[in-house]
Amino acid sequence: MSRLRGNVRETYDMPDLSFAKLVYPDRVGAFIKTATTAAGASVIEMQEGDDINELIRRAYPNAKTIASNVPGVKADLNPDDVAKPQDLDGTDVSVVAGSVGCAENACIWIPQTMKQRAVCFICEYLVIILDRDNIVSNMHEAYSRIEMPELGFGAFISGPSKTADIEQALVYGAQSFCGVTIILR
Amino acid sequence: MSTQHSRKANEFVKDTAVVDRHDATFWAVRSRRDTMAHEVPEWEDLREAASRIKKHTVTHLADYLEKFAANAGRNGVQVHWAKDADEYNAIVLEILRAHDVRKVVKSKSMLTEECGLNDSLIAHGIDVVETDLGERILQLLGVPPSHIVMPAIHITREQVLECFRAHGIIEKEGRKAADSMNGDLDKLVAEADPTFLTRCARYHLRDNFMTADCGMTGANFGIAATGEVVVCTNEGNADMSTSIPPLHIVSMGIEKLIPDYESMAVFQRLLARNGTGQPTTVYTSHFRRPRPGSEMHIILVDNGRSDILGNEDHWQTLKCMRCGACMNTCPVYRRSGGYSYSYFIPGPIGINLGMLRDSDKHYGNCSACSLCCSCDNVCPVKVDLSTQIYKWRQQLDSMHHADPMKKTMSEGMKVMFDHPGLYTAALRMAPLANHMPSWLTGIAMGPWCEAHDMPRFAKKSFHQLWKSGLDEK
Ligand code: SF4
Ligand code: SF4
């Protein structure tokens, strides 16, 4: 510490960060575009009278095991109740709630609101439920809005896990989920 | 002229197909990065902000470290301090021993590479599994990375297939992988299909996530205001590594600190756009507290960083966020490959970091630069990379490393940089090529000219940029 202090020659002030930032007139439209192109996710816009469980079924008709603790979502496994995270392996679809979406890069903030956060990553496919009203234009706005949950973990997620490590060929489904469906309500 | 770099580069360029592919791959990444930059109107504001936030943070590092450590402690995280690589390796080993750890799953971390952690752990009988696909391939092949973001870029799909086969991964996971794609196993193997190989690795690594006793990650950023660390990946391997095993160890260089979420937004917007030309990494994960019933440790590593801070010419390397953009754009890196550099971080930033680590060992890398300044123009935090390389060359003389040829070269450079008119003319006519290593002059001038094509978004002329780079000193 003293070496760190001693080695500083000149100090610099924190810059002013109030420069103009990218904003979209149609945030929801921009979000859907980025999510379905750059991020590689699917988006379902929930309509009046739609049933959430039916939407999930329709998106993943072959899913055998659904894991979630989101109220109102029918699930076979609950990440609050499993004895250990390994018990969630083999989950076909996990359903989680996002609290803030960002139009510029399709990031969605997923706060850990379940005991085993492995549920967010271990599944083959991830369904994220997001309120249209919670979509902002850019990451500056997103970071001013997000809240860290009591459990002390949260992640911005933008589309399915991917890699281009083998000859730069883009492959979805590296170590985590292979596909993402965002349900906008 | 013959330096260690040029000799190794000569080996690499023997296979022109490999060189062309390498060159084209990185030029494509660089082009994607430009597209990303044009989509963000405030791009230059972001770069300036990022540079100044880093300048501010590293020149107040002791205060921010104290704040960070205090907050992390309050969050229930155990904080350790390591002054060098040995101390760091010893701390990791001690934590692992205390938990009786036999297997560690690891997400990519340049710092562990810097400290030689894997060898140290393996020597103590601990199984270390890299979980980034590229890193895992290299680990199984027993070779080092050739790029900091795309480490296995130089390996072909056939080599991956061969390697997976040799390790029994195709035999064990091939069927499941083929089924997951509704594909024909024999055909996928015959084609060395990248999706198939990735799926094989997915199931192979899944087993390891399930059975590991500890997950280790690096940290892209540490946030002083909250005491949390941020890890950015595309594969989700950091999240898999940390959401299953009961122990999480974070290894973080002390220069990774930034003040708060407001600053984080600036870096989040720049990192992936610059590194790989994507609007974001898939995962930007914030770790603030240990999982219920598990432990989280953060090891803050100095390993020479506080000395760099005192180095008038080179302290700004501490601003680097390891995005890889400078190597993607560097015409020398693109055509000579990561292995031609003696330091494990190649390219413009690696030349400088290698010299700061051990100049006797790495001075040969200083010749791997044509002073085109392309790296300065892309760096999201405005590290004055080429100015620093130029300064190293000036100093080689007093370090007794300058050979007569190199000295002529350095002096030639000095004359040019002291006479801007001459330099401009020199660039137009490209006689600079006279001073370039033979393996660079022997190739088409295409990529060389491209690198001089100033980004359309640059508000300042090349000379202004160059000058302000010097004035910042
Ligand atoms: S200035 Fe040197 S290190 Fe930087 S991009 Fe040009 S050749 Fe590479
Ligand atoms: S020096 Fe700049 S461009 Fe190079 S890796 Fe570091 S941050 Fe990226």
Side-chain angles (χ1 to χ4, degrees):
Chain A
M1 283 292 180
S2 60
R3 184 149 79 213
L4 274 177
R5 290 205 164 90
N7 278 350
V8 175
R9 293 158 183 276
E10 192 184 337
T11 58
Y12 291 82
D13 290 336
M14 188 60 188
D16 174 19
L17 299 178
S18 64
F19 52 88
K21 325 266 182 353
L22 178 70
V23 286
Y24 298 93
D26 174 14
R27 292 192 298 267
V28 175
F31 175 86
I32 293 174
K33 182 159 176 268
T34 322
T36 51
T37 53
S42 310
V43 175
I44 298 175
E45 292 188 79
M46 201 169 165
Q47 310 296 333
E48 198 63 42
D50 276 351
D51 175 60
I52 192 111
N53 290 304
E54 215 165 283
L55 292 179
I56 296 167
R57 263 290 151 229
R58 233 183 290 151
Y60 299 105
N62 301 325
K64 288 188 200 71
T65 312
I66 295 179
S68 184
N69 73 342
V70 176
V73 171
K74 277 193 218 134
D76 311 287
L77 279 171
N78 186 332
D80 290 334
D81 299 339
V82 291
K84 51 188 197 311
Q86 282 88 343
D87 295 346
L88 292 161
D89 194 26
T91 298
D92 294 312
V93 174
S94 291
V95 185
V96 299
S99 64
V100 179
C102 178
E104 70 164 318
N105 55 13
C107 277
I108 302 175
W109 178 250
I110 316 279
Q112 183 180 350
T113 49
M114 66 294 283
K115 195 169 138 224
Q116 295 299 351
R117 67 176 184 240
V119 72
C120 308
F121 309 106
I122 210 168
C123 49
E124 292 296 303
Y125 297 95
L126 183 69
V127 173
I128 306 173
I129 304 169
L130 179 68
D131 284 348
R132 276 187 189 84
D133 295 343
N134 291 337
I135 293 176
V136 298
S137 284
N138 59 54
M139 287 307 280
H140 307 280
E141 295 171 31
Y143 269 108
S144 72
R145 285 251 212 136
I146 58 168
E147 272 170 33
M148 183 56 86
E150 203 37 50
L151 286 165
F153 175 86
F156 281 108
I157 295 181
S158 174
S161 114
K162 62 186 176 197
T163 181
D165 276 347
I166 301 178
E167 289 194 4
Q168 279 285 291
L170 178 65
V171 178
Y172 288 122
Q175 322 314 343
S176 185
F177 40 83
C178 306
V180 170
T181 298
I182 302 161
I183 299 182
L184 284 184
R185 62 173 181 201
Chain B
M1 184 186 67
S2 168
T3 64
Q4 202 180 356
H5 177 268
S6 66
R7 281 192 296 276
K8 286 202 201 166
N10 266 321
E11 284 164 34
F12 183 76
V13 298
K14 270 186 197 139
D15 189 341
T16 50
V18 171
V19 176
D20 287 346
R21 188 171 66 95
H22 193 267
D23 187 19
T25 300
F26 284 107
W27 188 251
V29 178
R30 159 70 208 263
S31 306
R32 282 208 302 273
R33 173 247 174 231
D34 290 353
T35 309
M36 285 293 138
H38 298 319
E39 280 172 10
V40 179
E42 63 273 28
W43 187 255
E44 288 302 314
D45 292 327
L46 282 174
R47 286 182 69 209
E48 184 59 28
S51 168
R52 288 169 60 181
I53 294 169
K54 282 280 184 178
K55 274 187 179 173
H56 166 72
T57 321
V58 297
T59 58
H60 296 82
L61 202 49
D63 300 337
Y64 278 116
L65 279 168
E66 278 169 2
K67 195 168 165 188
F68 175 81
N71 283 328
R74 269 194 288 278
N75 296 336
V77 174
Q78 300 179 44
V79 180
H80 312 256
W81 304 82
K83 73 171 186 311
D84 57 24
D86 288 343
E87 223 175 88
Y88 163 75
N89 290 335
I91 293 170
V92 175
L93 194 62
E94 198 183 298
I95 301 171
L96 296 181
R97 287 227 165 113
H99 290 80
D100 205 11
V101 169
R102 271 164 314 222
K103 186 195 283 189
V104 176
V105 279
K106 233 177 119 238
S107 84
K108 192 150 76 75
S109 151
M110 283 297 120
L111 182 60
T112 58
E113 196 86 33
E114 175 185 318
C115 295
L117 178 74
N118 288 12
D119 290 344
S120 147
L121 294 184
I122 292 163
H124 287 91
I126 292 165
D127 188 7
V128 183
V129 179
E130 292 286 351
T131 61
D132 172 87
L133 176 57
E135 291 280 345
R136 183 62 178 157
I137 292 168
L138 297 179
Q139 189 184 29
L140 292 173
L141 285 169
V143 297
S146 73
H147 186 279
I148 60 172
V149 177
M150 294 162 267
I153 198 75
H154 57 301
I155 308 287
T156 64
R157 62 175 79 186
E158 287 79 15
Q159 285 172 292
V160 176
L161 175 73
E162 224 17 79
C163 163
F164 283 6
R165 194 182 266 141
H167 285 88
I169 297 171
I170 301 290
E171 198 189 343
K172 183 149 181 267
E173 314 291 357
R175 169 62 52 201
K176 200 169 163 191
D179 288 349
S180 81
M181 305 162 61
N182 296 318
D184 177 65
L185 178 60
D186 295 333
K187 191 160 163 271
L188 292 166
V189 170
E191 287 166 355
D193 181 86
T195 303
F196 168 73
L197 293 170
T198 303
R199 287 286 156 86
C200 287
R202 173 187 175 86
Y203 297 122
H204 159 72
L205 287 169
R206 190 55 72 99
D207 274 356
N208 285 295
F209 289 127
M210 291 302 138
T211 53
D213 313 296
C214 172
M216 287 191 72
T217 67
N220 292 85
F221 305 96
I223 299 179
T226 60
E228 75 201 53
V229 296
V230 182
V231 181
C232 305
T233 74
N234 275 327
E235 298 185 5
N237 55 319
D239 298 288
M240 289 296 288
S241 298
T242 52
S243 56
I244 302 161
L247 175 63
H248 177 191
I249 303 177
V250 181
S251 311
M252 176 173 144
I254 53 175
E255 86 286 12
K256 296 282 176 187
L257 273 195
I258 55 171
D260 48 24
Y261 272 8
E262 210 186 342
S263 330
M264 183 59 216
V266 172
F267 293 102
Q268 206 282 346
R269 297 186 75 194
L270 286 169
L271 181 64
R273 285 188 170 100
N274 273 286
T276 49
Q278 308 163 255
T280 178
T281 49
V282 175
Y283 303 87
T284 306
S285 305
H286 290 242
F287 299 89
R288 192 181 289 187
R289 285 185 224 281
R291 276 180 18 239
S294 72
E295 276 183 26
M296 180 171 162
H297 296 251
I298 299 177
I299 310 175
L300 292 161
V301 184
D302 183 333
N303 203 28
R305 287 160 176 77
S306 51
D307 293 331
I308 295 177
L309 187 60
N311 187 320
E312 195 180 357
D313 290 338
H314 300 286
W315 70 275
Q316 291 203 36
T317 54
L318 293 174
K319 297 194 296 186
C320 172
M321 57 169 167
R322 305 284 191 272
C323 74
C326 57
M327 46 204 83
N328 302 345
T329 199
C330 175
V332 180
Y333 172 81
R334 280 189 278 121
R335 302 221 44 111
S336 65
Y339 290 164
S340 63
Y341 300 77
S342 60
Y343 194 51
F344 78 102
I345 300 177
I349 185 66
I351 296 174
N352 286 301
L353 293 175
M355 285 301 280
L356 288 163
R357 174 69 53 211
D358 184 346
S359 63
D360 283 344
K361 218 159 135 188
H362 302 298
Y363 70 89
N365 297 336
C366 293
S367 73
C369 172
S370 57
L371 294 179
C372 74
C373 306
S374 183
C375 48
D376 305 359
N377 288 320
V378 297
C379 176
V381 285
K382 300 191 174 183
V383 178
D384 50 344
L385 293 156
S386 68
T387 308
Q388 293 195 25
I389 295 170
Y390 175 66
K391 286 184 175 159
W392 286 122
R393 287 188 179 172
Q394 297 294 90
Q395 291 164 32
L396 285 183
D397 224 0
S398 53
M399 290 174 175
H400 311 294
H401 293 316
D403 64 28
M405 179 60 207
K406 219 180 300 152
K407 205 170 160 198
T408 314
M409 187 167 121
S410 288
E411 273 162 11
M413 297 282 182
K414 186 170 185 311
V415 170
M416 276 209 273
F417 283 100
D418 289 349
H419 299 83
L422 224 171
Y423 182 57
T424 313
L427 273 184
R428 283 213 192 94
M429 301 179 290
L432 197 62
N434 295 340
H435 298 284
M436 278 167 26
S438 58
W439 52 268
L440 245 186
T441 51
I443 57 161
M445 292 300 283
W448 171 244
C449 298
E450 282 164 343
H452 281 289
D453 192 16
M454 282 303 118
R456 272 159 289 167
F457 49 84
K459 291 194 188 112
K460 293 176 172 179
S461 76
F462 170 77
H463 289 102
Q464 284 169 319
L465 280 172
W466 173 252
K467 227 173 138 276
S468 62
L470 291 176
D471 290 345
E472 268 176 17
K473 293 282 93 195

